[in-house]
Each structure stands twice: as C-alpha cells, then as structure tokens.
Amino acid sequence: MDIKTLYDADVIGIITAKNAFDTLATAFGQHKDNWQTEVIDRLNRSQWTGTAAGHAQARIQLLENELQAAQQEIGLVSRALQDAYDGFAAAQSHLISALDDAKTHKLTVAADGGITWDNDPNSANFAGTDAENQAKQIQARITAALNEADHADQTINTRLAHLATNASSGTGLDSATVKADTDAANALQQIPAAGTDPNSVKAWWNGLTDAQQQRIILNHPDQVGNLDGIPAAARNQANRTNLKNLIQDRQRQIADLGPAPAATVGTGRFIRPNPAYTQWKAKRDALQEKLDGFQSIQERLDGKKDGGAGGPNSDPPLLLLGIGDQGQGRAIVSWGDPDKARNVSSLVPGLNSTMAGVGGGDAMTAKRIYDAAVNSTGPNETPSVASVFWLGYDAPQLDGPSVLSEDRAVAGGADYNKFLAGLRATHEGAPAHVTAQGHSYGSLLVGQATQHPGGLAADDIVLVGSPGTGVDKASQLGVGADHVYVGAAENDPVANAPSPGMVGGWGAFIYEEMNHTGKQSWFGADPASGDFGGQRFSVADGTITDSHDNYFGKHGAGGDSLPNIGKIVSGHGNTITRQDPR
C-alpha cells in the first residue's frame, strides 16, 4: 500500500458492493420463503406417504438446509465488506489527517513517504525549529495508516477468498461450515462487556486469531483498550488510537459550539450577565479541560516532556493501559510491560488528581518508583519492573465535599480490583510480585478494593499519607499484616487528620482512653498506629505544606521514603528502614 493508492481509494465502492449483496440476500430470502410456501407446505398438506415420499421429504429437507446455509453465507459476504469499509475508511482518514497536519507545519511529503522542509528562518515557508520532531511524528502516523490499510486489505482478501471457495466448492451449503464461519464473524463483533471477569476476557481473546485481534483493536479501540483481561501490548495499541480519536472529538465539539455569545445583555444600568454566554462557557470549559488532559498525555507519549521521557525511544517504554472520557476522565500508564515484568507496582493517586496531571508530573512519579525498584534489585538479580499509575476513578477535588466521603473510593475500588485481576490474568510465565500502592485518598480506595470477594490480586500493599483505609486492622486487607507497609510523615496534615467525630484534642484523648481502639483517622483506624498492625517505614518529617507530596521523592525530598518503596516493589520489603508506629 502506498500513499497515493490509499489517498485516492474509493472506499464508497465497498459500501456499494455491500449493498448489492444485501439486495441479493433479501431476494434469496424471498426465494427461500417461496420454496417453503409453494413446495414444503404443499407437500405437508398432501398427506403423501410411502417409501418414495420418505426419500423425497429427506431430499427436500436437505435442500432447505442448503438454501438456509447459502443465505447465511451471502450475509457473511456483506458483513466482511462492511468490516473492509470500516478498516479502509479509518486508515484513509488517518492518512488524510496526517497529510493535513504536514501541510499545516509546512512539511512536504513525497510519494514514498519521505518528508522535507525549509530550514531557512528568513523564508516564508520556514517550518520552524521543531520541524524535525514534527516530521518524525507525522511520518510515523503515515506509516501506521498504510500498515492499517495493508492489514485491512489482507484480512478482507482472506475472508472473501474463504467465502468464494465455499461458494465454488459447495462447502458453503454445509450447515457445520456455515456455523463455523458465522461464529468466526460473530467473534469479531461480540466484545465482552466492561466489567466481565478478566479471566473470561483473556480466554475470549486467546480464542481469536491474530487477524481477528488486530481487526478488533482497529475497529473498537475504545472498548478493547479499557477491558481488563486484554494483554497490555494490545491495550496500549488500542488506547493510543483511541486517544487521538478523543482529541479530535473534543476539538470538533469545541468548534461546533461556535463563537462566544456576548457576555452581557442590556445597556446602562440594565446591563446583566447573558445566560447564553454562561451556558456556552460552562460547556466549553468542560470540553477544554478534557482536551487539555488528553493532549497532555499525548505530548507525554510523543516525547515532548521531561527530555523525551515516555516518548517513542523511551527506556523503559511507556504503555497507555487505559484512556477514557467517563466522569472527570480516565488514564492509566505504565513504565514497562506489566505482562512481562517480574515485579509490578500500581499506584492509586488521591486528592486533586487529573488527566492533565497523569501526562505531567504523575507520570514521573511512577517513573521514580520504577527507578527506585530497579536500583533496589539484589546483586544476583536482573531488574524486571513495571510501574503503573492508575487514575481509573474520579479523584476528589478541592472544589467540593467529595474528599470527605468514601463514595468515590468504594466505586473506584471495584474497578481497581478488576484491573489488578486483569494484570494477573494476562501476565506471562510465573505470577508477578504485585504491589498495590495508595497515596492519600487513593489509600482508602485500595482499602476498599481489598474487601471484594477473593480479595485484591496483590502480594504487598503500600499506604502513604493515608487518611484511613476503611478497616481497623492491617490483617483485614487480605495480604497479611506483615505485607502492609505504611509511610506517614510526622507533619503530614492528611495522615494526621482526626476522625470527623473526634475533632478536638481532649475529645480525641478521652475517646481513645474509653474505647482503647487506638488512634483514629478520617476513614477509620490510623494505618501508622501500632494497633493497626502494619509495618511503618521511615520517611522524612517534612513540613505541613510539603510533606504530603514528598513520599515519592519529588525534588529529592522524602528522605528514605522512595528507597523504601523501591525495596518493597522489588520484593525486598524485609530490608526497609523502619520507623516506630505512633
């Protein structure tokens, strides 16, 4: 496939052919119905009996089955042509979009895909100082579009050749053959629903051919990319495609809003806010916030941040394991492939986390965890780590009371439980050592995730800056109290927040003395307390303004916190530096 062939392709012709087969299938169905009425029904009313009648009825039944099979095979041709149209149209759209962007950036694309540009700053056609980077990205998009078209071409050729063989050899009249063909076609469409057990999803995925898997990724990236039980590499491919679709969709929706109405109406002392403007601005701000988040993640994947970290040549590679526009938005990234890594960490963030943050500093938080785990690998071990940042829920924001309620943690905990179960299902070889981490409100979510039937698919749990987990004892988290690790800076206002029923120093003291239940946090027992029963590791005290953000070594702060987390993630939790519970 080359650029000109794909660009000039008349994909509408495929739909024309599909419509012709639909017409043929309809006419054939009428013919079959007439056969039923004029032949079978009449014979049944004739009360014809005897040996000859038995042979005739058997042959007629066989013919009826063949007619039914033929109609179904014609329908399968129509479905194959529809899939071909979807594949070619998507590839053509992606190519045209890349070529349009090349023109916008004053890049010239040759017939063979090579890209040139004007480097003269004094020229009217100067492509800018970022031309080389833009050219690489656009060239990659062009190559991807051509590969997409090649795949569609090969797939449709295989399917149509098979159906043509069935038609010419007569095997297409066999009901068993038709059933197998129909099952294969259905498998391309029947994607398991979100929330399906990850092991069932993995079994379904493994039952598809490579071509079927690729077709589903191309045609349904929004469903495959976020489905727990799909391998990480396939999720990454689907989500990168879907991310571009989400960006284009938000850009189109913003453009469709049109220009802003006047901010006010009336004149003089009768001037007042314009309700139309207020409504327009609310819609635009919501769309823009999502767009900013998606673009931040795209920039990270394109290597435009932090010296290219996460870009095309990043080591380790950055995988996009989830992306979506539900609620405040969803984003899951992983440094390294969790299906192949021996040690897997998955961090759940807390208050004020956003999609834009995932593309920015939050991605680097997960990268620092990755580096710390690699650095803590034993002398006779080969580093093997994947570090996930999981924003798969609506994190509480400071602009409302959501942080005071456990509702978001309960809802998100169910999804996090499924996510880790999916990582277990898709992991290759021996089971990975999995560490579930929760920061701030995210620790409450992790706690809630452990309470589902079967527990959480994790070996160790790390809780930092925690306002409570919703349980009273570390042993209730399902991994064993000695595998629950807690970091709590002495000056962290969140980790030291009292229970809402115990605000006030004397009230807290009297409550503890009377009930002997230990120190209480906002959401239950304080994880850093002795009564909770977890293992507290050493972190820097910090200050009341920075300690809550220092657990993961931001700006080199946090003391032993990040090295300790790295030891836990790499499976060496027994070597942490400890701190007495409070």
Side-chain angles (χ1 to χ4, degrees), residues 10-85:
D10 177 19
V11 295
I12 299 300
I14 302 176
I15 288 297
T16 301
K18 181 230 181 241
N19 291 339
F21 271 92
D22 286 342
T23 301
L24 176 60
T26 299
F28 199 93
Q30 292 172 346
H31 172 66
K32 186 170 68 69
D33 290 343
N34 290 338
W35 165 265
Q36 176 73 37
T37 301
E38 299 298 328
V39 178
I40 297 177
D41 290 350
R42 285 192 177 189
L43 281 174
N44 289 337
R45 291 194 301 268
S46 70
Q47 298 182 344
W48 182 26
T49 60
T51 303
H55 288 306
Q57 288 171 350
R59 182 67 185 102
I60 289 170
Q61 182 60 57
L62 177 60
L63 185 55
E64 182 183 8
N65 293 342
E66 290 178 340
L67 289 172
Q68 176 67 31
Q71 184 183 15
Q72 290 179 276
E73 288 276 295
I74 293 171
L76 291 174
V77 173
S78 175
R79 290 174 64 175
L81 290 171
Q82 179 66 59
D83 287 347
Y85 169 79

Side-chain angles (χ1 to χ4, degrees), residues 22-225:
D22 286 342
T23 301
L24 176 60
T26 299
F28 199 93
Q30 292 172 346
H31 172 66
K32 186 170 68 69
D33 290 343
N34 290 338
W35 165 265
Q36 176 73 37
T37 301
E38 299 298 328
V39 178
I40 297 177
D41 290 350
R42 285 192 177 189
L43 281 174
N44 289 337
R45 291 194 301 268
S46 70
Q47 298 182 344
W48 182 26
T49 60
T51 303
H55 288 306
Q57 288 171 350
R59 182 67 185 102
I60 289 170
Q61 182 60 57
L62 177 60
L63 185 55
E64 182 183 8
N65 293 342
E66 290 178 340
L67 289 172
Q68 176 67 31
Q71 184 183 15
Q72 290 179 276
E73 288 276 295
I74 293 171
L76 291 174
V77 173
S78 175
R79 290 174 64 175
L81 290 171
Q82 179 66 59
D83 287 347
Y85 169 79
D86 292 341
F88 281 120
Q92 188 179 63
S93 174
H94 294 154
L95 174 66
I96 292 173
S97 175
L99 294 177
D100 287 345
D101 285 351
K103 186 179 297 184
T104 299
H105 290 287
K106 297 182 179 180
L107 305 174
T108 301
V109 180
D112 63 357
I115 300 179
T116 57
W117 58 91
D118 191 336
N119 276 318
D120 184 0
N122 298 314
S123 170
N125 292 319
F126 177 50
T129 57
D130 195 38
E132 183 175 1
N133 182 50
Q134 292 293 339
K136 288 180 180 178
Q137 293 181 42
I138 290 172
Q139 194 164 50
R141 289 167 59 190
I142 291 172
T143 300
L146 295 177
N147 289 341
E148 190 176 355
D150 275 333
H151 177 79
D153 188 38
Q154 293 168 12
T155 300
I156 188 59
N157 279 339
T158 299
R159 290 175 68 182
L160 291 179
H162 173 74
L163 293 170
T165 299
N166 285 356
S168 61
S169 67
T171 54
L173 301 179
D174 175 64
S175 58
T177 298
V178 175
K179 183 180 184 305
D181 292 344
T182 302
D183 288 346
N186 288 341
L188 296 175
Q189 306 297 330
Q190 294 173 350
I191 300 173
T196 299
D197 174 66
N199 288 297
S200 298
V201 172
K202 182 61 164 54
W204 164 79
W205 184 256
N206 287 345
L208 302 175
T209 65
D210 290 345
Q212 289 171 332
Q213 291 175 355
Q214 191 65 22
R215 172 55 54 202
I216 290 175
I217 290 172
L218 295 175
N219 287 345
H220 306 283
D222 55 326
Q223 297 179 54
V224 175

Side-chain angles (χ1 to χ4, degrees), residues 361-362 365 368 546 549-559 562:
D362 290 338
T365 294
R368 288 194 295 274
D546 69 6
D549 293 328
N550 287 344
Y551 293 103
F552 303 104
K554 185 177 181 180
H555 303 309
L562 180 61

Side-chain angles (χ1 to χ4, degrees), residues 390-547:
W390 188 88
L391 185 62
Y393 80 116
D394 284 338
Q397 305 296 306
L398 275 178
D399 58 359
S402 55
V403 73
L404 305 180
S405 166
E406 65 178 17
D407 291 352
R408 297 193 180 196
V410 171
D415 291 333
Y416 186 63
N417 186 288
K418 277 281 194 324
F419 174 74
L420 290 192
L423 294 188
R424 282 281 194 227
T426 59
H427 192 268
E428 301 173 10
H433 165 251
V434 177
T435 303
Q437 298 194 54
H439 175 228
S440 188
Y441 189 90
S443 66
L444 174 62
L445 187 150
V446 170
Q448 294 301 304
T450 67
Q451 301 305 295
H452 288 264
L456 189 63
D459 302 288
D460 291 311
I461 291 176
V462 173
L463 310 168
V464 291
S466 175
T469 63
V471 302
D472 295 326
K473 301 286 185 181
S475 59
Q476 294 173 293
L477 296 177
V479 296
D482 56 340
H483 288 277
V484 176
Y485 299 88
V486 182
E490 287 301 315
N491 293 315
D492 182 348
V494 176
N496 291 303
S499 167
M502 296 185 349
V503 177
W506 280 108
F509 175 78
I510 294 171
Y511 183 94
E512 290 185 30
E513 289 299 305
M514 292 179 64
N515 294 276
H516 304 288
T517 56
K519 185 177 181 296
Q520 296 290 299
S521 289
W522 194 269
F523 297 107
D526 176 12
S529 68
D531 283 350
F532 188 76
Q535 300 198 60
R536 189 177 181 190
F537 56 85
S538 174
V539 304
D541 291 345
T543 69
I544 197 169
T545 58
D546 69 6
S547 56

